[in-house]
Amino acid sequence: MKNRIKSDKKTGYTERILVPVSNPVHVNELMDLAFYFHSHSELAIYPLTILNKIAGDEESMGIANALLEKAAQSPVPDNVHIEPVIASDINVAAGISKVVDQKNIDSTIIGWNRDPVKGSRIFSTILDQLLVVTSQFLIVSNTSKSILEHQRIVMAIPPESHREPGFEELISKTLNMAASAKLDLLILTEYSQASRIKRSVENHGAELPVIVESVTLWEDLNLVLQNRVRKGDVILLNGARKEMISWTHHLDKLPGSVSEKFPDNSLMVFDAWIRNRKISSYFDP
C-alpha cells in the first residue's frame, strides 16, 4: 500500500477510483479492473465497504475490515495508491454517493450479482439508484475472471454516443486497458458513427490494432454478439443514463439480455456526464 498519492507527471492529476466491495469472491477481479481501466498514469483507488447504520455492530465491522484487507492485498502497481474506506449508511447507494463526493471520485467500479430485475429497472435497486445520484463514470462488472485472463475486448457503442461529454475519456480508458492488459479490441457500433469512432481511436494513438465494425441495425446487437463473441472475450457495453442523448429503452434492456447469453464475461460502462438539474434530494423523504 502506498503512503502518498502521486500526480500524473504530464497532467498533474491523480485519477480517483472507488471500488465498493461486499463479496470477497470477486474482490480481486474488481481491483484488477481498477488497475487497468483508467486514463491517467497515477491512480488513487478506494476500496469501500458500507455498514448498515442499524446493524453497525462489531461483527459487521469485522466483516468489513476483512473485505478491505483482502482488497488491499492485491498486487499493487507502482503508480497506484490504495486507501480503504469504511462508511455507514442505512442506504448503500446513498453511502456510496457520499463517498464519491467526499473523495472527489472519477469512476466507480462495482460488481453485479444479477438479482432478478423487475419493471423499468436496469440492474437492481442499488445500481439503479447509483445511476441517478452520481454523474461520474460507473462501471458494472459481471465477470468471473480477472481482466488479465481475457484475450479480447468486444466493445459495443450505441448510436449518438460520440456526442456525450464523457465519450472521449471512455475511448481513452478502453484503449489504455487494452494496451496495458495486452488485449485485442473489437468495437461494434452503428454505421452512422463508425467513421467518427475510427477517427477518435486514431487521435488517441492506439498502441494495438483496433477493429471498428458497423452494425446495420442496433436492435440486432444481441444476435451480432452471439456471432462475433468467442472464447476469451470480455464484452464492454457502453450504456447511458436516461438524461443522456444516446439513451433509449432498448439500451436499458441490454445488460439483462447480454448477461443471460454471456453470464460471466460482460462489463457495462456508463459515461460521465454534466447534470442540468439538481437531484441531490433523491433520498430525501
Side-chain angles (χ1 to χ4, degrees):
M1 185 181 302
K2 302 292 181 293
N3 297 316
R4 181 173 62 88
I5 298 179
K6 298 184 290 184
S7 298
D8 188 309
K9 292 181 179 179
K10 292 183 178 180
T11 65
Y13 187 75
T14 299
E15 190 166 342
R16 297 168 180 265
I17 302 173
L18 187 68
V19 185
V21 293
S22 60
N23 186 341
V25 174
H26 300 299
V27 167
N28 291 338
E29 287 85 352
L30 293 175
M31 291 298 290
D32 281 348
L33 192 55
F35 293 153
Y36 288 93
F37 192 74
H38 57 83
S39 54
H40 292 79
S41 64
E42 298 297 335
L43 307 176
I45 298 177
Y46 301 87
L48 167 68
T49 295
I50 301 292
L51 295 179
N52 189 311
K53 281 186 175 179
I54 295 177
D57 53 21
E58 292 184 5
E59 183 180 358
S60 297
M61 181 65 75
I63 294 173
N65 282 321
L67 278 169
L68 295 181
E69 183 178 352
K70 181 175 176 62
Q73 287 176 348
S74 298
V76 182
D78 292 337
N79 65 320
V80 177
H81 164 92
I82 294 183
E83 181 182 323
V85 179
I86 294 179
S88 297
D89 203 291
I90 193 171
N91 184 295
V92 174
I96 293 173
S97 177
K98 290 174 184 176
V99 176
V100 166
D101 292 337
Q102 292 167 359
K103 298 294 184 180
N104 295 317
I105 297 299
D106 298 293
S107 302
T108 297
I109 297 176
I110 189 168
W112 179 26
N113 60 7
R114 295 187 65 210
D115 290 334
V117 177
K118 298 179 181 180
S120 61
R121 292 186 295 163
I122 305 174
F123 298 105
S124 59
T125 303
I126 294 173
L127 296 178
D128 284 282
Q129 287 177 353
L130 282 178
L131 285 173
V132 175
V133 298
T134 65
S135 58
Q136 296 80 5
F137 274 91
L138 178 64
I139 301 92
V140 180
S141 173
N142 182 36
T143 61
S144 61
K145 298 179 180 179
S146 164
I147 190 66
L148 298 174
E149 296 181 58
H150 292 90
Q151 284 80 52
R152 184 175 69 162
I153 301 169
V154 178
M155 185 181 190
I157 303 178
E160 304 297 330
S161 293
H162 67 281
R163 300 174 59 190
E164 304 291 2
F167 176 74
E168 291 298 334
E169 186 174 357
L170 172 61
I171 293 296
S172 175
K173 291 176 185 291
T174 304
L175 291 175
N176 182 71
M177 181 166 66
S180 301
K182 297 180 173 57
L183 305 176
D184 294 333
L185 176 58
L186 167 64
I187 297 177
L188 303 174
T189 192
E190 193 181 53
Y191 175 80
S192 62
Q193 65 178 2
S195 60
R196 173 66 181 80
I197 290 175
K198 287 179 181 178
R199 289 198 303 272
S200 178
V201 169
E202 293 171 355
N203 291 338
H204 282 283
E207 297 181 23
L208 296 173
V210 177
I211 297 174
V212 179
E213 290 187 3
S214 298
V215 176
T216 304
L217 187 63
W218 189 250
E219 285 70 18
D220 290 337
L221 178 64
N222 275 318
L223 180 59
V224 174
L225 288 174
Q226 290 180 54
N227 291 330
R228 299 295 283 115
V229 173
R230 62 198 187 202
K231 185 177 180 180
D233 287 351
V234 59
I235 301 168
L236 180 62
L237 297 174
N238 181 196
R241 292 168 169 92
K242 285 191 176 181
E243 295 84 352
M244 299 174 75
I245 298 169
S246 56
W247 180 85
T248 63
H249 287 285
H250 173 258
L251 201 56
D252 276 1
K253 303 298 182 182
L254 274 179
S257 60
V258 170
S259 67
E260 288 181 5
K261 299 291 183 182
F262 308 96
D264 59 359
N265 64 329
S266 62
L267 305 169
M268 190 79 178
V269 180
F270 294 85
D271 296 6
W273 68 295
I274 301 171
R275 295 195 179 282
N276 57 14
R277 61 187 179 90
K278 184 179 179 180
I279 56 174
S280 58
S281 60
Y282 182 87
F283 292 106
D284 293 346

